[in-house]
CSV table of all heavy atoms in Angstrom, one decimal:
chain,number,residue,atom,x,y,z
A,176,HIS,N,13.1,27.2,12.3
A,176,HIS,CA,11.7,27.5,12.0
A,176,HIS,C,10.9,27.7,13.3
A,176,HIS,O,9.8,28.3,13.3
A,176,HIS,CB,11.1,26.3,11.2
A,176,HIS,CG,11.0,25.1,12.0
A,176,HIS,ND1,9.9,24.7,12.6
A,176,HIS,CD2,11.9,24.1,12.2
A,176,HIS,CE1,10.1,23.5,13.2
A,176,HIS,NE2,11.3,23.1,13.0
A,177,LEU,N,11.4,27.3,14.4
A,177,LEU,CA,10.7,27.5,15.7
A,177,LEU,C,10.7,28.9,16.1
A,177,LEU,O,9.7,29.4,16.8
A,177,LEU,CB,11.3,26.6,16.8
A,177,LEU,CG,11.3,25.1,16.6
A,177,LEU,CD1,12.2,24.4,17.7
A,177,LEU,CD2,9.9,24.6,16.6
A,178,VAL,N,11.7,29.7,15.7
A,178,VAL,CA,11.8,31.1,16.0
A,178,VAL,C,11.3,32.0,14.9
A,178,VAL,O,10.6,33.0,15.1
A,178,VAL,CB,13.3,31.4,16.3
A,178,VAL,CG1,13.5,32.9,16.3
A,178,VAL,CG2,13.7,30.8,17.7
A,179,GLU,N,11.6,31.6,13.6
A,179,GLU,CA,11.0,32.3,12.5
A,179,GLU,C,10.2,31.3,11.7
A,179,GLU,O,10.7,30.6,10.8
A,179,GLU,CB,12.2,32.9,11.6
A,179,GLU,CG,13.0,34.0,12.3
A,179,GLU,CD,12.2,35.2,12.4
A,179,GLU,OE1,11.1,35.4,11.8
A,179,GLU,OE2,12.6,36.1,13.3
A,180,PRO,N,8.9,31.4,11.9
A,180,PRO,CA,8.0,30.3,11.3
A,180,PRO,C,8.0,30.3,9.8
A,180,PRO,O,7.6,29.3,9.2
A,180,PRO,CB,6.6,30.7,11.8
A,180,PRO,CG,6.9,31.5,13.1
A,180,PRO,CD,8.1,32.2,12.8
A,181,GLU,N,8.5,31.4,9.1
A,181,GLU,CA,8.5,31.4,7.7
A,181,GLU,C,9.6,30.6,7.1
A,181,GLU,O,9.6,30.3,5.9
A,181,GLU,CB,8.6,32.8,7.1
A,181,GLU,CG,9.9,33.6,7.4
A,181,GLU,CD,9.8,34.4,8.7
A,181,GLU,OE1,8.9,34.1,9.6
A,181,GLU,OE2,10.6,35.3,8.9
A,182,LEU,N,10.6,30.2,7.9
A,182,LEU,CA,11.6,29.3,7.5
A,182,LEU,C,11.1,27.9,7.3
A,182,LEU,O,10.3,27.4,8.1
A,182,LEU,CB,12.8,29.3,8.5
A,182,LEU,CG,13.5,30.6,8.7
A,182,LEU,CD1,14.6,30.4,9.7
A,182,LEU,CD2,14.1,31.1,7.4
A,183,ASP,N,11.5,27.3,6.2
A,183,ASP,CA,11.0,25.9,5.9
A,183,ASP,C,11.7,24.9,6.9
A,183,ASP,O,13.0,24.9,6.9
A,183,ASP,CB,11.3,25.5,4.5
A,183,ASP,CG,10.4,26.3,3.5
A,183,ASP,OD1,9.3,26.7,3.9
A,183,ASP,OD2,10.9,26.5,2.4
A,184,PRO,N,11.0,24.1,7.6
A,184,PRO,CA,11.6,23.1,8.5
A,184,PRO,C,12.1,22.0,7.6
A,184,PRO,O,11.5,21.5,6.7
A,184,PRO,CB,10.5,22.7,9.4
A,184,PRO,CG,9.2,22.9,8.7
A,184,PRO,CD,9.5,24.1,7.8
A,185,PRO,N,13.3,21.5,7.9
A,185,PRO,CA,13.8,20.3,7.2
A,185,PRO,C,13.0,19.1,7.7
A,185,PRO,O,12.5,19.0,8.8
A,185,PRO,CB,15.3,20.2,7.6
A,185,PRO,CG,15.3,20.8,9.0
A,185,PRO,CD,14.3,21.9,9.0
A,186,SER,N,12.9,18.1,6.8
A,186,SER,CA,12.3,16.8,7.2
A,186,SER,C,13.3,16.1,8.2
A,186,SER,O,14.5,16.4,8.3
A,186,SER,CB,12.0,15.9,6.0
A,186,SER,OG,13.3,15.4,5.5
A,187,PHE,N,12.7,15.2,9.0
A,187,PHE,CA,13.5,14.4,9.9
A,187,PHE,C,14.6,13.7,9.1
A,187,PHE,O,15.7,13.6,9.6
A,187,PHE,CB,12.6,13.4,10.7
A,187,PHE,CG,13.3,12.6,11.6
A,187,PHE,CD1,13.8,13.0,12.8
A,187,PHE,CD2,13.7,11.2,11.3
A,187,PHE,CE1,14.5,12.3,13.7
A,187,PHE,CE2,14.4,10.4,12.2
A,187,PHE,CZ,14.8,10.9,13.4
A,188,ALA,N,14.2,13.1,8.0
A,188,ALA,CA,15.2,12.4,7.2
A,188,ALA,C,16.3,13.3,6.7
A,188,ALA,O,17.5,12.8,6.6
A,188,ALA,CB,14.5,11.7,6.0
A,189,GLU,N,16.0,14.5,6.3
A,189,GLU,CA,17.1,15.4,5.9
A,189,GLU,C,18.0,15.7,7.0
A,189,GLU,O,19.3,15.8,6.8
A,189,GLU,CB,16.4,16.7,5.4
A,189,GLU,CG,15.7,16.6,4.1
A,189,GLU,CD,14.9,17.8,3.7
A,189,GLU,OE1,14.5,18.6,4.6
A,189,GLU,OE2,14.7,18.0,2.5
A,190,THR,N,17.5,15.9,8.2
A,190,THR,CA,18.4,16.2,9.4
A,190,THR,C,19.3,15.0,9.7
A,190,THR,O,20.5,15.1,9.8
A,190,THR,CB,17.6,16.6,10.6
A,190,THR,OG1,16.8,17.7,10.3
A,190,THR,CG2,18.5,16.8,11.8
A,191,THR,N,18.7,13.8,9.8
A,191,THR,CA,19.5,12.6,10.1
A,191,THR,C,20.5,12.3,9.0
A,191,THR,O,21.6,11.8,9.2
A,191,THR,CB,18.6,11.4,10.4
A,191,THR,OG1,17.7,11.2,9.3
A,191,THR,CG2,17.8,11.7,11.7
A,192,GLY,N,20.0,12.6,7.7
A,192,GLY,CA,20.9,12.3,6.6
A,192,GLY,C,22.1,13.2,6.6
A,192,GLY,O,23.3,12.8,6.3
A,193,ALA,N,21.9,14.5,7.0
A,193,ALA,CA,23.0,15.5,7.1
A,193,ALA,C,24.0,15.0,8.3
A,193,ALA,O,25.2,15.1,8.1
A,193,ALA,CB,22.5,16.9,7.4
A,194,LEU,N,23.4,14.6,9.4
A,194,LEU,CA,24.3,14.2,10.5
A,194,LEU,C,25.1,12.9,10.1
A,194,LEU,O,26.3,12.8,10.5
A,194,LEU,CB,23.4,13.8,11.7
A,194,LEU,CG,22.8,15.1,12.4
A,194,LEU,CD1,21.7,14.6,13.4
A,194,LEU,CD2,23.8,15.9,13.1
A,195,THR,N,24.5,12.0,9.3
A,195,THR,CA,25.2,10.9,8.9
A,195,THR,C,26.3,11.2,7.9
A,195,THR,O,27.4,10.7,8.0
A,195,THR,CB,24.2,9.9,8.2
A,195,THR,OG1,23.2,9.5,9.1
A,195,THR,CG2,24.9,8.6,7.7
A,196,GLU,N,26.0,12.1,7.0
A,196,GLU,CA,27.0,12.5,6.0
A,196,GLU,C,28.2,13.2,6.8
A,196,GLU,O,29.4,13.1,6.4
A,196,GLU,CB,26.4,13.5,5.0
A,196,GLU,CG,27.4,13.9,3.9
A,196,GLU,CD,27.9,12.7,3.1
A,196,GLU,OE1,27.2,11.7,2.9
A,196,GLU,OE2,29.1,12.7,2.7
Side-chain angles (χ1 to χ4, degrees):
H176 67 96
L177 299 173
V178 166
E179 291 294 342
E181 65 269 20
L182 296 180
D183 292 331
S186 69
F187 179 78
E189 287 172 335
T190 299
T191 56
L194 291 168
T195 302
E196 185 59 35

